[in-house]
Amino acid sequence: MAEKRDTSLSSEAVVPTESGAAHRHAELVTVIDEARFRYHVLDRPTLADGEYDAMMRELVGLEQEHPELRTPDSPSQKVGAELSTDFASVDHIERMLSLANAFNAQEMAAWNERVVKEVGTAPAYLCELKVDGLAIALVYEKGRLVRGVTRGDGRTGEDVTANVRAIKGIPSQLTGTAEHPVPDLVEVRGEIYFPSAQFEEFNAWAIEHEGRSYANPRNTAAGSLRQKDPRVTAQRPLRMVVHGIGARRGFAVNSQSHAYEMLRAWGLPTSDRVKVVAALDEVLAFIDYYGKHRHDVEHEIDGVVVKVDDLALQGRLGATSKDPRWAIAYKYPPEEVTTKLLDIKVQVGRTGRVTPYAVMEPVTVAGSTVAQATLHNQDVVKRKGVLIGDTIVLRKAGDVIPEVVGPVIELRTGEEREFEMPGECPSCATPIAPQKEGDVDLRCPNTRACPGQLKERVAYLAGRSALDIEALGYEAAAALTCPDAGEAPLKLEGELFELTLEKLAEPQMYQKARGKEAAEGAQELVPYFYTKGTKAKPSAPTKTTVLLLEQIEAAKTKELWRYLTALSIRHVGPSAARELARVLGSLEAIRDASVEDLASVDGVGPTIAQAVVEWFAVDWHREIVERWLAAGVRPSVPARAAGPQPLVGLTVVITGTLAGFTRDGAKDAAQAAGAKVSGSVSKKTSYVVVGENPGSKAEKAEQLGVPVLDEEGFRALLAGELATAAEPDEAAVADGPQAAGSDAASAEAAVDAAADAAADADEEIA
């Protein structure tokens, strides 16, 4: 058998006393039920066949001697295991209430004021994440799970016991400790959820095997829990987090946090993102933090639940007919909404990829107004099953690109129509096709002369992961390369450093018409880089235009790696560019290097090396570099450290936000000390440095046994106080992936990580 455990029961027959027969019978029922469930549902047996048969014989013998023990629930009266359920209605022992909601700080302050007024003091509050899952109540008697019931209407729910037992992490038997022994009875409240990281993978499987995709983790969790066959539920990666106690007998509890301590001691899955605070400002700080970090959690959340911690005060506050007065849910702005799909259009990206995107009725989602969303390619449009004219579900997780989840089929009228991918580039009308056999994406091969591709490349080179020219945003890039009227100042990005005020005088772009006589929605052509001009005041460069030219001039001495990134060479993101710049030292040297020379650079390899050589083999590509150099571009290269380099031969991965370093600063410090800085964790990694919000890299380090350092440990490493990766100083190694770091989120880290991961990806609709 695959698994072994100590059942604390002998498989040899025993002769119990009259008083011990019922106890022995109960023990056998527990072990046999568990063994059946693991064998038939989970396919992970815990007992050998001989052990199982011996226990069954003993059970039957006891029931023959004591007929009163033979009940319909006895394993002797059932064939196999319980493999399906009809979801019978079951009353909760204690009613499950809902929660009142707050949507801003003012409403939270008003709730806090009511609480303080009622109890006469400022109470301690327990803050926890509001899991976007399926509410469940588990009933344990003498530590044994006897029932799992959905919320239902709060009084009556569906019996999903068999399915609940199939979920990993939910114990069939509570453990208990000397301080917190197993209770006589406890009704545990919690949420069943579908882990966010596994949802996309599951959806890919569902599309392949079921021909459909699922809308979101919450609905998928609900559907997975309500499967008629628990074996299906067992195959889904469902998890649970408990957050409260309902009915109870055989123990006392004095606070919400005390209850969580007990739940954890009994072996139930509790959250480690729970905090007891003393004042409203700390509550709001907790809410604000997870508002920024809600996508760093392993499950979906839609807010924060705040509870009065003291149970005696909870009793004084009482409840309304539907929700407790001692708790409230702060709801974050919704991330999933519905809107009308008005059209599907296409755009061309900086590497020529032609991408369909959705044009929608503007809708507010995750705190911002969205009117467009990428659809990636024609296969994705078909897979999502959306038609032009559909009501669609739109999702925007934080600051990422908005995603069309799928159509609301029930609202179709019959007037919807299918999208057809065009055969030509939307910018230059060149026929589009896959770049190589087997490619899903269609590309425009007119790389040099396509205005759309040039616009995207210019916008990219001005971005934070390249030359970081703040005044050169997407609209300015469009005005430079393909204005609505007037001559385009840029025909090639090589002309960037040749721009003058005179060259910027012609481009005009359509903008919203202004003035009292302007009609609603009307547009007018106006100079983009100059003021409109009047009889009294002639047109002149705007302040932003003057700033743009100043920033372009200042960019002439930016770091070499930024220039290399700005060239839009496939596969070359900031990390590879840093390594090439560090080793080769100039654009000319990189241009003239062979594949072998480039591939020998740490962290580059043959694929990137080949891409660099192929890029510089193109005449007009070399022209870009030559014109930049002729215009006075002199990229800077940090001087090599003259002192000792204690990290030579070590590979370091840096993840999360460090209080004393920017992301680039941490990389530069490690590289100056001789280390190779990698973007991924492997068995060859010497150290993983973690800050606030470390993400999956810290978890992988823990799995692989790679030493994990916090910021203090990182500084010790840079100082040469940790001699080798094989023998790290334990005092400087962080206790797992939760190493100390900054409390602030790092937008810069997110930008750089995205640039590294998708160096050759096109810019899409944001």
Side-chain angles (χ1 to χ4, degrees):
M1 292 296 179
E3 293 185 11
K4 284 288 186 182
R5 71 168 189 163
D6 182 8
T7 63
S8 300
L9 292 172
S10 169
S11 58
E12 298 178 0
V14 296
V15 182
T17 62
E18 188 75 16
S19 61
H23 178 69
R24 177 63 177 172
H25 183 274
E27 286 181 324
L28 287 167
V29 167
T30 298
V31 175
I32 291 170
D33 276 350
E34 178 75 7
R36 279 182 162 182
F37 184 78
R38 288 179 173 272
Y39 182 84
H40 290 284
V41 176
L42 302 183
D43 197 26
R44 296 197 300 271
T46 55
L47 294 179
D49 291 345
E51 291 180 286
Y52 176 84
D53 292 341
M55 288 186 180
M56 276 296 296
R57 285 195 298 272
E58 182 183 356
L59 182 77
V60 171
L62 279 172
E63 291 179 353
Q64 288 173 346
E65 293 179 22
H66 306 279
E68 70 274 13
L69 298 177
R70 187 184 298 116
T71 67
D73 289 330
S74 171
S76 68
Q77 305 303 303
K78 295 185 288 187
V79 178
E82 186 179 13
L83 297 181
S84 64
T85 174
D86 58 2
F87 305 134
S89 295
V90 178
D91 289 339
H92 295 293
I93 302 175
E94 190 173 289
R95 188 159 62 101
M96 295 181 72
L97 299 174
S98 59
L99 289 170
N101 295 323
F103 297 94
N104 53 52
Q106 292 74 24
E107 292 177 357
M108 284 299 302
W111 175 78
N112 173 69
E113 186 178 344
R114 290 194 297 270
V115 169
V116 172
K117 182 178 180 180
E118 184 70 24
V119 301
T121 185
Y125 291 123
L126 181 141
C127 302
E128 62 187 344
L129 303 184
K130 187 175 184 297
V131 182
D132 193 10
L134 184 71
I136 196 83
L138 308 180
V139 178
Y140 287 88
E141 294 180 357
K142 302 292 185 182
R144 181 187 175 204
L145 176 62
V146 297
R147 190 161 59 253
V149 186
T150 61
R151 177 196 293 277
D153 63 2
R155 297 181 182 275
T156 303
E158 296 174 322
D159 187 340
V160 289
T161 307
N163 294 31
V164 162
R165 296 182 68 211
I167 297 173
K168 185 178 179 180
I170 298 180
S172 295
Q173 181 72 39
L174 300 182
T175 51
T177 64
E179 186 179 0
H180 300 298
V182 171
D184 291 340
L185 178 141
V186 62
E187 186 183 24
V188 177
R189 275 41 185 306
E191 296 282 328
I192 304 289
Y193 66 88
F194 202 109
S196 302
Q198 291 161 281
F199 179 66
E200 186 174 343
E201 181 182 340
F202 173 75
N203 246 349
W205 176 90
I207 289 166
E208 181 180 351
H209 292 86
E210 300 179 356
R212 59 162 293 184
S213 62
Y214 290 79
N216 55 56
R218 194 267 172 205
N219 290 349
T220 308
S224 299
L225 187 63
R226 289 190 172 95
Q227 293 292 317
K228 290 292 184 181
D229 187 345
R231 287 174 294 195
V232 178
T233 303
Q235 293 168 2
R236 308 277 173 90
L238 298 182
R239 296 293 183 269
M240 180 187 181
V241 60
V242 300
H243 54 61
I245 292 175
R248 54 189 181 270
R249 187 172 65 242
F251 68 98
V253 60
N254 54 45
S255 68
Q256 195 77 29
S257 51
H258 182 213
Y260 284 14
E261 182 183 321
M262 290 181 169
L263 292 167
R264 193 176 299 110
W266 293 334
L268 288 157
T270 56
S271 173
D272 58 359
R273 296 180 176 87
V274 176
K275 187 175 184 180
V276 177
V277 301
L280 178 63
D281 59 347
E282 294 179 76
V283 170
L284 296 177
F286 185 94
I287 290 169
D288 182 63
Y289 178 84
Y290 281 104
K292 296 173 181 175
H293 293 264
R294 62 191 293 187
H295 303 292
D296 304 330
V297 183
E298 63 273 14
H299 49 69
E300 298 278 296
I301 66 171
D302 56 1
V304 167
V305 176
V306 183
K307 303 173 181 177
V308 172
D309 190 43
D310 189 289
L311 262 61
L313 295 181
Q314 287 185 10
R316 286 174 58 183
L317 288 162
T320 68
S321 60
K322 62 177 183 176
D323 47 59
R325 292 188 177 92
W326 45 265
I328 194 167
Y330 183 98
K331 300 292 289 291
Y332 292 131
E335 295 194 314
E336 208 168 85
V337 295
T338 58
T339 187
K340 197 78 169 179
L341 178 60
L342 302 176
D343 200 358
I344 297 178
K345 297 183 178 181
V346 295
Q347 68 167 13
V348 61
R350 65 188 175 94
T351 63
R353 183 160 65 108
V354 177
T355 306
Y357 65 95
V359 179
M360 306 163 294
E361 288 183 355
V363 62
T364 300
V365 55
S368 61
T369 301
V370 175
Q372 297 177 341
T374 182
L375 286 165
H376 303 288
N377 58 56
Q378 66 276 16
D379 285 3
V380 170
V381 178
K382 291 179 181 178
R383 190 169 71 235
K384 290 181 180 291
V386 293
L387 303 177
I388 297 171
D390 267 337
T391 295
I392 58 171
V393 177
L394 181 72
R395 177 177 175 79
K396 184 167 182 262
D399 295 326
V400 303
I401 296 170
E403 176 194 6
V404 174
V405 178
V408 183
I409 295 175
E410 294 78 5
L411 296 180
R412 282 182 174 164
T413 64
E415 297 180 1
E416 298 80 11
R417 57 189 173 89
E418 289 189 12
F419 163 74
E420 292 185 12
M421 191 73 177
E424 297 180 344
C425 172
S427 180
C428 66
T430 301
I432 60 176
Q435 188 173 41
K436 60 180 182 293
E437 188 176 351
D439 278 1
V440 174
D441 294 326
L442 303 178
R443 294 182 183 269
C444 170
N446 185 24
T447 310
R448 187 191 194 286
C450 177
Q453 292 185 56
L454 176 60
K455 173 184 65 178
E456 299 293 336
R457 293 199 302 269
V458 170
Y460 178 78
L461 72 80
R464 293 187 62 189
S465 60
L467 297 182
D468 195 16
I469 303 173
E470 188 175 354
L472 181 45
Y474 193 81
E475 284 189 356
L480 286 172
T481 57
C482 44
D484 296 322
E487 185 73 15
L490 289 186
K491 302 294 193 304
L492 184 71
E493 54 263 53
E495 300 169 352
L496 177 68
F497 294 97
E498 302 167 12
L499 288 175
T500 62
L501 287 175
E502 291 73 25
K503 290 181 180 180
L504 297 177
E506 288 193 33
Q508 296 182 63
M509 301 290 285
Y510 278 106
Q511 293 184 355
K512 182 180 178 181
R514 298 179 180 179
K516 296 179 180 179
E517 298 180 0
E520 182 69 25
Q523 291 190 320
E524 61 177 342
L525 267 175
V526 296
Y528 186 84
F529 296 103
Y530 275 59
T531 59
K532 189 174 179 180
T534 63
K535 291 181 180 179
K537 192 173 183 181
S539 178
T542 66
K543 291 181 180 179
T544 303
T545 300
V546 173
L547 179 62
L548 170 63
L549 292 180
E550 290 174 354
Q551 290 181 352
I552 290 175
E553 182 65 26
K556 287 182 178 180
T557 55
K558 293 237 169 153
E559 300 97 323
L560 174 59
W561 70 265
R562 290 186 176 275
Y563 274 90
L564 195 55
T565 304
L567 293 175
S568 285
I569 303 172
R570 292 198 72 183
H571 310 303
V572 179
S575 289
R578 286 173 186 274
E579 292 300 318
L580 289 168
R582 184 171 64 89
V583 174
L584 295 174
S586 72
L587 282 171
E588 295 93 332
I590 295 169
R591 176 194 62 196
D592 298 335
S594 66
V595 171
E596 292 74 20
D597 292 337
L598 296 168
S600 67
V601 175
D602 232 5
V604 175
T607 300
I608 295 175
Q610 188 65 41
V612 173
V613 169
E614 289 178 358
W615 192 90
F616 277 104
V618 178
D619 291 345
W620 68 269
H621 287 169
R622 293 196 303 274
E623 182 187 344
I624 294 172
V625 175
E626 290 163 2
R627 293 184 74 157
W628 283 357
L629 295 173
V633 167
R634 295 293 180 267
S636 63
V637 180
R640 300 238 178 154
Q645 292 185 297
L647 307 190
V648 171
L650 301 187
T651 299
V652 177
V653 173
I654 303 169
T655 179
T657 305
L658 300 175
F661 296 87
T662 64
R663 183 180 178 86
D664 289 347
K667 283 184 178 180
D668 291 343
Q671 288 171 341
K676 171 188 173 184
V677 179
S678 175
S680 59
V681 181
S682 71
K683 291 181 179 179
K684 295 182 180 180
T685 304
S686 307
Y687 291 97
V688 174
V689 179
V690 301
E692 184 69 21
N693 181 28
S696 61
K697 291 177 185 177
E699 295 173 5
K700 188 169 183 181
E702 191 173 32
Q703 292 168 4
L704 296 177
V706 175
V708 176
L709 304 178
D710 59 11
E711 185 167 348
E712 181 181 353
F714 181 47
R715 293 183 183 278
L717 184 69
L718 295 174
E721 296 171 13
L722 301 184
T724 69
E727 298 176 345
D729 180 355
E730 293 183 4
V733 177
D735 184 16
Q738 301 299 323
S742 167
D743 288 335
S746 174
E748 181 180 8
V751 169
D752 282 1
D756 280 355
D760 64 336
D762 296 322
E763 297 296 308
E764 293 182 325
I765 294 295

